[in-house]
Amino acid sequence: MRYLPSSPVEDRALLDTIGVPDAEALLVGIPEPLRLGRELDLPTQGSEQEVAWQMMGLANKNMRFCAQFLGAGAYDHFVPSAIDAMISRQEWFTAYTPYQPEISQGTLQHIFEYQTLICDLTGLEVTNASLYDGGTACVEAALMAVRVAKKRHTVLISRGLHPMYRDVLKTNFDPHEDLHLVEVGLKDGVTDLADLQAKLNGDVAAVMVGYPNFLGAVEDLSALAGPVHAAGALLISVTQEAFAFGWFEAPGNVGADMACGEAMSLGNKPNFGGPFLGFLAVKDAHKREIPGRVVGQTKDLNGETGYVLTLTAREQHIRRDKATSNICSNQGLVALRANIFMHLAGPEGLKGLAEQNAAKAQYLRQRLLELPDMEPMFDQPFFNEFVLRYTGDYAALQEACLKESLLPGLDLGRFYPEYAGCILWCATELHTRQMIESLVEILARVPATV
């Protein structure tokens, strides 16, 4: 929205119209201790150009990394400039929330296309829009599984799920005294099948596993699906790196009943942590329990193709206590960028990008293991992330990297005490051989064993 200035005369007329003496009187609803009580410490005036220069000066104080080897749920990928150009086309400038189809055809069309493409990637029949991020997508999938299963109140979650996704699940399950989350341990970097089978019982509604998991390892959904389905539960795959769909078999084709996770990687930059784009895809049999918005294709009275919201319970918008979900906002712009990216890449393009991610990660791992203080942790297939044990001082490693404007991998001890001293490294198509060699050279200079 553009800033529209007003003159003092116009300000006075506005205040008189609503019957208040001055602008401060509009703040009476805010308790006095919470008000600033003084003017902001800003220049009293400045031209647009002067303000822009000042803001650029502040922005330049941020550290600029020439290479990032940190993933852990937010991944740096190349975003074609065509996306920025295409999202500004006027046909997408329709209603923010598409309740009125007659004035929202642009928004409804691109959401319908986005849903279609997500179904293609996941191998499932129905998907939705408007999930905030991967964490809330996990919550919606888990709660939906409980509704579908009926009279089952437990959801098993693999310890390989993103730690923040697990925290969001716990936060949302805690208010429900009748619902339970039970964690399944890991073995060699993937879900421990024996522990899973020991915890499967008649109260388990669903099992959630990463695909790939937080450690970058590829979970064998086919092997997990057998015991899960035999126990009458649903298998939910959670993908935090959408590029993996260009490399992996679609989860719906290897036993998953639902697929959820994060799609920000498709045409969106990390942007200091957002906005993200949660997705949730399900089998057709479960479509009436899916939360969020589902857009359908139809015909108008003239036989022309049109798009409408469908399978959306009215109480979802006006009666929160009866709603299947209380998601209210619409991640339409982020989904639009993902939609355009997937159209530009196509199936072969996405496959090629995924191959680059996998190959770059393999090369990075190979080079790092040539250093004396790096040791392998798991012998599992992985996508663009992997774990190595570091026998040196991580703080010294981090400091050495930051001095050279390199962002190193994640110290896993922050989330997994059992993996203290281990680092989660990431590589994408943006990493060149020179970047990887620079990292290796820097790490080689860090003092070895503490």
Side-chain angles (χ1 to χ4, degrees), residues 29-45:
I30 302 175
E32 188 69 33
L34 300 181
R35 300 186 207 174
L36 185 60
R38 59 173 175 79
E39 295 290 331
L40 291 173
D41 186 16
L42 294 172
T44 55
Q45 62 185 15

Side-chain angles (χ1 to χ4, degrees), residues 4-303:
L4 301 176
S6 59
S7 68
V9 173
E10 292 171 318
D11 291 343
R12 184 67 263 162
L14 288 170
L15 294 170
D16 289 343
T17 299
I18 60 178
V20 294
D22 51 45
E24 288 295 316
L26 299 174
L27 305 178
V28 293
I30 302 175
E32 188 69 33
L34 300 181
R35 300 186 207 174
L36 185 60
R38 59 173 175 79
E39 295 290 331
L40 291 173
D41 186 16
L42 294 172
T44 55
Q45 62 185 15
S47 68
E48 182 177 350
Q49 179 175 312
E50 290 169 334
V51 172
W53 282 342
Q54 185 175 8
M55 299 304 291
M56 287 175 61
L58 293 173
N60 287 335
K61 293 182 179 180
N62 292 323
M63 177 174 286
R64 296 175 181 270
F65 296 108
C66 61
Q68 304 177 39
F69 295 92
L70 175 65
Y75 304 93
D76 196 19
H77 293 291
F78 178 74
V79 177
S81 58
I83 294 178
D84 290 329
M86 294 179 71
I87 62 169
S88 63
R89 290 177 62 92
Q90 65 179 7
E91 52 262 51
W92 312 127
F93 288 173
T94 58
Y96 165 68
T97 300
Y99 293 154
Q100 296 174 277
E102 64 274 16
I103 61 171
S104 306
Q105 285 302 296
T107 296
L108 290 166
Q109 178 183 338
H110 86 66
I111 292 178
F112 178 82
E113 292 174 357
Y114 162 79
Q115 292 173 176
T116 303
L117 294 171
I118 293 294
C119 286
D120 287 345
L121 293 182
T122 59
L124 293 162
E125 292 86 11
V126 182
T127 188
N128 63 3
S130 300
L131 296 178
Y132 298 133
D133 54 22
T136 51
C138 284
V139 171
E140 296 296 347
L143 294 176
M144 178 179 168
V146 171
R147 294 194 300 272
V148 168
K150 295 184 175 62
K151 297 183 180 180
R152 293 185 176 222
H153 306 91
T154 300
V155 174
L156 302 184
I157 57 173
S158 169
R159 187 160 173 75
L161 253 62
H162 194 302
M164 294 181 180
Y165 292 5
R166 286 186 280 127
D167 285 345
V168 174
L169 280 162
K170 291 172 184 174
T171 298
N172 282 267
F173 265 57
D174 279 348
H176 302 277
E177 294 182 0
D178 58 329
L179 299 184
H180 312 286
L181 283 177
V182 177
E183 195 171 272
V184 178
L186 298 176
K187 183 178 181 181
D188 297 327
V190 294
T191 304
D192 186 338
L193 185 56
D195 189 34
L196 172 64
Q197 290 175 321
K199 292 173 178 174
L200 279 170
N201 56 49
D203 194 52
V204 174
V207 177
M208 307 186 77
V209 296
Y211 189 63
N213 65 26
F214 184 70
L215 305 179
V218 183
E219 299 274 4
D220 187 347
L221 295 185
S222 297
L224 297 171
V228 170
H229 291 156
L234 302 176
L235 179 61
I236 304 174
S237 71
V238 181
T239 302
Q240 63 195 36
E241 167 55 293
F243 267 47
F245 287 130
W247 185 252
F248 294 175
E249 183 67 52
N253 296 342
V254 287
D257 301 287
M258 300 184 194
C260 66
E262 179 57 58
M264 185 202 72
S265 288
L266 303 173
N268 295 276
K269 285 286 187 179
N271 294 322
F272 297 93
F276 287 85
L277 176 62
F279 71 88
L280 171 60
V282 304
K283 290 184 175 180
D284 184 73
H286 305 145
K287 64 188 175 186
R288 293 194 176 275
E289 293 293 342
I290 195 169
R293 297 180 176 89
V294 178
V295 175
Q297 189 180 71
T298 186
K299 297 286 185 181
D300 66 12
L301 292 177
N302 297 321

